[in-house]
Amino acid sequence: VKFETLKFTYNKTKTGYVDVKDLLVDNKLDLVLTIAEVTEGLPSYITPKTSPYTVTIEIKYDPVTGTLTATPDKENSTFVFTNEYKAVGDVTFEGTKTVEGRNWDAENDIYDFEIFEVVTENDTTKEVSVGTAKNNADGAIEYPTINYEYDLANNKNDLGTHVYKIYETSTSANGITVDPNPPREVTIVVSDNDDGTLNVEKSEGWNAVNFVNTYGAETTVNLSAKKDLVGHAFDEDFTFSFTLTG
């Protein structure tokens, strides 16, 4: 940043210069200036972080030599203005829950889901939970919004590829068998649009993270009978066969 040069004269009128003759006291003037960044008009994603600076310029006139000097009390390298850039973006998966084998029960057909991000740290890959979800009465799964930030000033950098696995965490019960298929997988690639927003590129299927449960009722019954032999003592070596027909 280069400011306009400050120009001074002593008892001399010149365009673009300030005559300081009448401002000097004992041939000296301390001119105090404030240097500040104009923040009006800055984009919302640019945040100024530097307070204004104060600089005193000592102006001296030497009547013996007829020279005029102007000396600031700070070096130009002192004046550093720092702004912070921040960009954000997000994604919300979409999906539905259905039950095959019977009618949908809006009150009781509520199931649980969890999203994990696949991350690698120190050559070890693991799955880290980033949120849970339930379906609503209509079967739509209300996945949580996943937020991304690019804010180096605060050590946040979500640029790059993110791989997610989505599981149904409900257990089979009451005739319902939870979806036996592997977890659904979605890949997100995040990049900076250079305007305070992040480009969130979604893989196919991000808006169809669906799960299908099946219903089937079953039960068992045990039948038993007693065998009697009339006219002879029952011998354990005797063998009899029976049939069950319907």
Side-chain angles (χ1 to χ4, degrees):
V1 179
K2 187 175 183 179
F3 296 103
E4 183 178 351
T5 301
L6 302 178
K7 303 174 182 179
F8 305 98
T9 62
Y10 180 85
N11 197 30
K12 182 179 180 181
T13 301
K14 187 176 180 180
T15 302
Y17 287 74
V18 176
D19 187 350
V20 297
K21 176 184 177 182
D22 296 334
L23 301 176
L24 300 179
V25 177
D26 296 330
N27 294 319
K28 178 182 176 182
L29 169 66
D30 286 333
L31 179 62
V32 180
L33 301 176
T34 299
I35 304 175
E37 180 176 5
V38 178
T39 59
E40 293 181 3
L42 284 178
S44 59
Y45 50 86
I46 298 293
T47 304
K49 304 300 291 186
T50 305
S51 299
Y53 292 95
T54 298
V55 56
T56 300
I57 300 177
E58 184 182 59
I59 302 174
K60 288 183 178 181
Y61 174 70
D62 187 339
V64 177
T65 61
T67 57
L68 185 68
T69 59
T71 306
D73 66 346
K74 295 182 178 69
E75 297 290 335
N76 284 340
S77 59
T78 302
F79 312 122
V80 178
F81 290 87
T82 301
N83 289 356
E84 292 182 1
Y85 172 82
K86 178 179 180 180
V88 297
D90 61 66
V91 65
T92 305
F93 301 148
E94 299 175 12
T96 58
K97 179 63 180 179
T98 56
V99 174
E100 293 182 345
R102 65 160 170 74
N103 293 331
W104 177 261
D105 185 338
E107 181 178 354
N108 296 308
D109 279 332
I110 304 297
Y111 302 93
D112 298 303
F113 310 87
E114 190 163 6
I115 303 173
F116 291 83
E117 182 172 4
V118 181
V119 299
T120 300
E121 296 179 354
N122 300 321
D123 297 325
T124 300
T125 300
K126 61 182 179 180
E127 297 180 8
V128 179
S129 177
V130 296
T132 59
K134 291 180 179 293
N135 61 278
N136 62 22
D138 295 324
I141 302 174
E142 299 177 333
Y143 290 111
T145 297
I146 300 173
N147 296 298
Y148 303 102
E149 290 186 61
Y150 179 66
D151 184 0
L152 296 184
N154 292 298
N155 298 316
K156 296 180 179 179
N157 184 0
D158 291 329
L159 301 186
T161 301
H162 301 262
V163 178
Y164 299 96
K165 290 186 177 182
I166 303 93
Y167 295 83
E168 180 174 359
T169 56
S170 300
T171 57
S172 299
N174 300 319
I176 292 291
T177 301
V178 297
D179 195 314
N181 295 305
R184 311 306 186 259
E185 187 169 307
V186 177
T187 299
I188 302 294
V189 179
V190 180
S191 57
D192 187 12
N193 288 323
D194 297 323
D195 61 359
T197 65
L198 296 177
N199 180 57
V200 181
E201 183 179 348
K202 315 169 190 71
S203 67
E204 184 178 356
W206 71 274
N207 58 349
V209 186
N210 305 324
F211 290 84
V212 180
N213 289 359
T214 55
Y215 173 79
E218 64 180 39
T219 188
T220 61
V221 61
N222 294 317
L223 298 178
S224 64
K226 180 181 178 182
K227 175 63 176 176
D228 289 330
L229 181 61
V230 178
H232 195 284
F234 194 89
D235 192 315
E236 62 182 10
D237 292 332
F238 292 166
T239 302
F240 304 91
S241 301
F242 305 89
T243 61
L244 180 66
T245 60

